[in-house]
mmCIF file of all heavy atoms in Angstrom:
data_model
loop_
_atom_site.group_PDB
_atom_site.id
_atom_site.type_symbol
_atom_site.label_atom_id
_atom_site.label_comp_id
_atom_site.label_asym_id
_atom_site.label_seq_id
_atom_site.Cartn_x
_atom_site.Cartn_y
_atom_site.Cartn_z
ATOM 1 N N TYR I 7 26.152 -40.376 4.033
ATOM 2 C CA TYR I 7 24.898 -39.719 4.398
ATOM 3 C C TYR I 7 24.428 -38.845 3.222
ATOM 4 O O TYR I 7 25.224 -38.228 2.531
ATOM 5 C CB TYR I 7 25.071 -38.842 5.628
ATOM 6 C CG TYR I 7 23.802 -38.110 5.989
ATOM 7 C CD1 TYR I 7 22.776 -38.747 6.672
ATOM 8 C CD2 TYR I 7 23.614 -36.778 5.584
ATOM 9 C CE1 TYR I 7 21.594 -38.082 6.977
ATOM 10 C CE2 TYR I 7 22.442 -36.114 5.885
ATOM 11 C CZ TYR I 7 21.426 -36.771 6.582
ATOM 12 O OH TYR I 7 20.257 -36.119 6.855
ATOM 13 N N TYR I 8 23.126 -38.848 2.992
ATOM 14 C CA TYR I 8 22.518 -37.896 2.081
ATOM 15 C C TYR I 8 21.180 -37.460 2.684
ATOM 16 O O TYR I 8 20.565 -38.196 3.450
ATOM 17 C CB TYR I 8 22.332 -38.490 0.681
ATOM 18 C CG TYR I 8 21.356 -39.633 0.605
ATOM 19 C CD1 TYR I 8 20.017 -39.419 0.312
ATOM 20 C CD2 TYR I 8 21.776 -40.953 0.846
ATOM 21 C CE1 TYR I 8 19.114 -40.477 0.261
ATOM 22 C CE2 TYR I 8 20.888 -42.009 0.792
ATOM 23 C CZ TYR I 8 19.569 -41.768 0.493
ATOM 24 O OH TYR I 8 18.674 -42.820 0.448
ATOM 25 N N ASP I 9 20.751 -36.277 2.345
ATOM 26 C CA ASP I 9 19.530 -35.727 2.910
ATOM 27 C C ASP I 9 18.333 -36.176 2.085
ATOM 28 O O ASP I 9 18.264 -35.934 0.890
ATOM 29 C CB ASP I 9 19.609 -34.189 2.939
ATOM 30 C CG ASP I 9 18.474 -33.572 3.736
ATOM 31 O OD1 ASP I 9 18.004 -34.212 4.708
ATOM 32 O OD2 ASP I 9 18.049 -32.452 3.401
ATOM 33 N N LEU I 10 17.394 -36.871 2.725
ATOM 34 C CA LEU I 10 16.224 -37.420 2.043
ATOM 35 C C LEU I 10 14.939 -36.873 2.665
ATOM 36 O O LEU I 10 14.624 -37.192 3.811
ATOM 37 C CB LEU I 10 16.225 -38.942 2.119
ATOM 38 C CG LEU I 10 15.045 -39.627 1.420
ATOM 39 C CD1 LEU I 10 15.145 -39.458 -0.106
ATOM 40 C CD2 LEU I 10 14.978 -41.112 1.774
ATOM 41 N N PRO I 11 14.167 -36.093 1.936
ATOM 42 C CA PRO I 11 12.875 -35.656 2.440
ATOM 43 C C PRO I 11 11.973 -36.846 2.717
ATOM 44 O O PRO I 11 11.902 -37.794 1.918
ATOM 45 C CB PRO I 11 12.321 -34.787 1.313
ATOM 46 C CG PRO I 11 13.513 -34.371 0.509
ATOM 47 C CD PRO I 11 14.476 -35.514 0.618
ATOM 48 N N LYS I 12 11.269 -36.785 3.818
ATOM 49 C CA LYS I 12 10.413 -37.896 4.243
ATOM 50 C C LYS I 12 9.383 -38.287 3.190
ATOM 51 O O LYS I 12 9.048 -39.470 3.021
ATOM 52 C CB LYS I 12 9.708 -37.533 5.550
ATOM 53 C CG LYS I 12 8.912 -38.653 6.179
ATOM 54 C CD LYS I 12 8.318 -38.220 7.506
ATOM 55 C CE LYS I 12 7.485 -39.356 8.110
ATOM 56 N NZ LYS I 12 6.864 -38.931 9.409
ATOM 57 N N GLU I 13 8.909 -37.293 2.431
ATOM 58 C CA GLU I 13 7.845 -37.579 1.461
ATOM 59 C C GLU I 13 8.335 -38.404 0.274
ATOM 60 O O GLU I 13 7.514 -38.906 -0.503
ATOM 61 C CB GLU I 13 7.220 -36.261 0.959
ATOM 62 C CG GLU I 13 8.167 -35.312 0.272
ATOM 63 C CD GLU I 13 8.790 -34.289 1.231
ATOM 64 O OE1 GLU I 13 8.809 -34.564 2.458
ATOM 65 O OE2 GLU I 13 9.251 -33.253 0.738
ATOM 66 N N LEU I 14 9.633 -38.590 0.137
ATOM 67 C CA LEU I 14 10.156 -39.412 -0.951
ATOM 68 C C LEU I 14 10.291 -40.885 -0.570
ATOM 69 O O LEU I 14 10.677 -41.708 -1.399
ATOM 70 C CB LEU I 14 11.527 -38.890 -1.437
ATOM 71 C CG LEU I 14 11.494 -37.494 -2.081
ATOM 72 C CD1 LEU I 14 12.871 -37.148 -2.634
ATOM 73 C CD2 LEU I 14 10.442 -37.400 -3.178
ATOM 74 N N ILE I 15 9.989 -41.238 0.674
ATOM 75 C CA ILE I 15 10.014 -42.629 1.092
ATOM 76 C C ILE I 15 8.711 -43.271 0.649
ATOM 77 O O ILE I 15 7.630 -42.932 1.128
ATOM 78 C CB ILE I 15 10.186 -42.755 2.619
ATOM 79 C CG1 ILE I 15 11.484 -42.099 3.059
ATOM 80 C CG2 ILE I 15 10.149 -44.222 3.029
ATOM 81 C CD1 ILE I 15 11.672 -42.054 4.572
ATOM 82 N N ALA I 16 8.809 -44.189 -0.311
ATOM 83 C CA ALA I 16 7.604 -44.805 -0.890
ATOM 84 C C ALA I 16 6.835 -45.593 0.155
ATOM 85 O O ALA I 16 7.423 -46.431 0.853
ATOM 86 C CB ALA I 16 7.985 -45.709 -2.053
ATOM 87 N N GLN I 17 5.550 -45.363 0.235
ATOM 88 C CA GLN I 17 4.700 -46.049 1.206
ATOM 89 C C GLN I 17 3.895 -47.192 0.573
ATOM 90 O O GLN I 17 3.476 -48.107 1.269
ATOM 91 C CB GLN I 17 3.727 -45.061 1.863
ATOM 92 C CG GLN I 17 4.408 -44.012 2.711
ATOM 93 C CD GLN I 17 5.133 -44.628 3.898
ATOM 94 O OE1 GLN I 17 4.585 -45.477 4.636
ATOM 95 N NE2 GLN I 17 6.395 -44.250 4.091
ATOM 96 N N THR I 18 3.721 -47.131 -0.718
ATOM 97 C CA THR I 18 2.965 -48.169 -1.421
ATOM 98 C C THR I 18 3.708 -48.536 -2.692
ATOM 99 O O THR I 18 4.426 -47.709 -3.275
ATOM 100 C CB THR I 18 1.543 -47.689 -1.794
ATOM 101 O OG1 THR I 18 1.660 -46.443 -2.553
ATOM 102 C CG2 THR I 18 0.709 -47.419 -0.546
ATOM 103 N N PRO I 19 3.569 -49.784 -3.171
ATOM 104 C CA PRO I 19 4.259 -50.200 -4.398
ATOM 105 C C PRO I 19 3.613 -49.615 -5.633
ATOM 106 O O PRO I 19 2.427 -49.275 -5.645
ATOM 107 C CB PRO I 19 4.117 -51.723 -4.372
ATOM 108 C CG PRO I 19 2.903 -51.987 -3.535
ATOM 109 C CD PRO I 19 2.834 -50.894 -2.525
ATOM 110 N N ALA I 20 4.412 -49.472 -6.686
ATOM 111 C CA ALA I 20 3.915 -48.984 -7.963
ATOM 112 C C ALA I 20 2.993 -50.014 -8.593
ATOM 113 O O ALA I 20 3.167 -51.221 -8.425
ATOM 114 C CB ALA I 20 5.076 -48.670 -8.903
ATOM 115 N N GLU I 21 1.999 -49.538 -9.314
ATOM 116 C CA GLU I 21 1.077 -50.415 -10.055
ATOM 117 C C GLU I 21 1.038 -49.977 -11.508
ATOM 118 O O GLU I 21 0.751 -48.813 -11.797
ATOM 119 C CB GLU I 21 -0.317 -50.354 -9.456
ATOM 120 C CG GLU I 21 -0.445 -50.966 -8.062
ATOM 121 C CD GLU I 21 -0.219 -52.476 -8.031
ATOM 122 O OE1 GLU I 21 -0.173 -53.080 -9.133
ATOM 123 O OE2 GLU I 21 -0.092 -53.030 -6.941
ATOM 124 N N PRO I 22 1.287 -50.894 -12.459
ATOM 125 C CA PRO I 22 1.803 -52.225 -12.234
ATOM 126 C C PRO I 22 3.253 -52.191 -11.778
ATOM 127 O O PRO I 22 3.877 -51.133 -11.780
ATOM 128 C CB PRO I 22 1.665 -52.889 -13.604
ATOM 129 C CG PRO I 22 1.704 -51.759 -14.570
ATOM 130 C CD PRO I 22 1.034 -50.608 -13.897
ATOM 131 N N ARG I 23 3.780 -53.339 -11.414
ATOM 132 C CA ARG I 23 5.104 -53.402 -10.826
ATOM 133 C C ARG I 23 6.173 -52.715 -11.671
ATOM 134 O O ARG I 23 7.033 -52.024 -11.147
ATOM 135 C CB ARG I 23 5.515 -54.883 -10.598
ATOM 136 C CG ARG I 23 4.742 -55.629 -9.530
ATOM 137 C CD ARG I 23 5.098 -57.091 -9.538
ATOM 138 N NE ARG I 23 4.377 -57.883 -8.539
ATOM 139 C CZ ARG I 23 4.898 -58.291 -7.381
ATOM 140 N NH1 ARG I 23 6.145 -58.023 -7.097
ATOM 141 N NH2 ARG I 23 4.174 -58.996 -6.529
#
Side-chain angles (χ1 to χ4, degrees):
Y7 177 80
Y8 65 93
D9 190 30
L10 180 69
K12 186 178 179 181
E13 59 268 22
L14 295 186
I15 300 174
Q17 295 296 312
T18 55
E21 292 293 350
R23 291 172 181 257

